[in-house]
């Protein structure tokens, strides 16, 4: 199976490290022009170097609707027709699991802003152009937490990721008539960034062994495993697949 994106334009959010970096690199290696979005400017520069001359960096907070619209408009004004959007930006924003009564409104909202509102704002911004051309691929990166529970115990994260899965299904039906597919990748636990490294260390040897024992393949995956599923959803091989959620978790 040869997947090629020559002539395609892709936006990848959360591209400064981890899944986003692997996803962006995968598209760049297959010939796409890749627009990298993140709040982490230093990380964006590193990803851009990895992706080569067809990578373009945009410092962007996806939870800011006005900023999202301005960024997408600027990309389109440069002559890029956005074919593929990968909503990868997310995470727990430095939070840890705490009892429900300790969660402030700000704690709750900041996780929703990046994990759910950001995906909606990005899709909202690219949809008009995709509708006009009657072509588009939107891939949302959720989490096993959106299908079950969060390993961290963070209520907002589990809720926002579940909401993103619902958004995927809803947008698939709304946008399908315009030949726009909307799908979701739900990764299992992957050591992909400083946050997941801290989570891994906090488990201790016993917790790590228990996590691996609950995985059918008995080992952790890598960011490239997640990127591979994204490449498939974005490719012509998935042209008649929409509204789906695929767990990439080694088997549960």
């Amino acid at each position: 199976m040869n997947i090629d994106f020559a002539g395609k334009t892709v936006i990848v959010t959360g591209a400064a490290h981890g899944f986003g970096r692997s996803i962006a690199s995968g598209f760049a290696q297959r010939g796409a022009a890749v627009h990298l979005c993140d709040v982490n400017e230093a990380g964006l520069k590193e990803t851009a170097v990895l992706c080569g001359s067809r990578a373009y960096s945009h410092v962007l907070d996806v939870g800011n609707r006005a900023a999202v619209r301005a960024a997408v408009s600027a990309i389109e004004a440069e002559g890029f027709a956005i074919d593929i959007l990968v909503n990868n930006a997310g995470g727990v924003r430095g939070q840890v699991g705490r009892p429900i009564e300790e969660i402030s409104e700000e704690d709750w909202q900041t996780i929703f802003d990046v994990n759910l509102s950001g995906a909606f704002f990005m899709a909202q911004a690219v949809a008009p152009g995709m509708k006009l051309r009657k072509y588009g691929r939107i891939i949302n990166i959720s989490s096993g937490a959106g299908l079950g529970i969060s390993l961290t115990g963070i209520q907002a994260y589990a809720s926002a990721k579940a909401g993103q899965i619902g958004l995927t299904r809803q947008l698939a039906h709304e946008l399908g008539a315009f030949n726009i597919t909307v799908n979701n990748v739900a990764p299992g636990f992957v050591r992909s960034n400083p946050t997941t490294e801290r989570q891994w260390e906090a488990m201790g040897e016993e917790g790590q062994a228990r996590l691996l024992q609950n995985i059918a393949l008995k080992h952790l995956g890598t960011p490239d495993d997640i990127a591979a599923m994204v490449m498939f959803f974005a490719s012509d091989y998935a042209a008649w697949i929409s509204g789906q959620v695929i767990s990439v978790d080694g088997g549960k």
Side-chain angles (χ1 to χ4, degrees), residues 30-52:
R30 291 163 178 79
V34 186
H35 290 265
L36 315 168
C37 300
D38 205 297
V39 294
N40 181 346
E41 186 172 5
L44 276 180
K45 289 178 180 177
E46 293 174 3
T47 303
V49 169
L50 184 66
C51 291

Side-chain angles (χ1 to χ4, degrees), residues 144 147 186-189 214-217 219 221 226 246-252:
L147 293 167
F189 183 82
N214 288 331
I215 298 173
L217 292 175
H219 66 84
I226 309 308
I246 298 294
S247 296
V248 181
D249 58 10
K252 291 294 183 69

Side-chain angles (χ1 to χ4, degrees), residues 8 82-85 126-139 171-183 233-243:
K8 300 293 187 184
I82 300 163
D83 302 293
I84 301 161
L85 166 65
V126 303
M130 290 182 173
K131 283 183 172 182
L132 188 64
R133 294 185 301 279
K134 288 188 166 45
Y135 179 88
R137 301 280 188 269
I138 299 174
I139 301 106
L171 291 183
H173 279 266
E174 178 178 342
L175 301 177
F178 300 92
N179 194 34
I180 301 167
T181 66
V182 188
N183 289 293
F233 271 148
S235 76
D236 290 340
Y237 293 102
W240 206 49
I241 300 173
S242 196

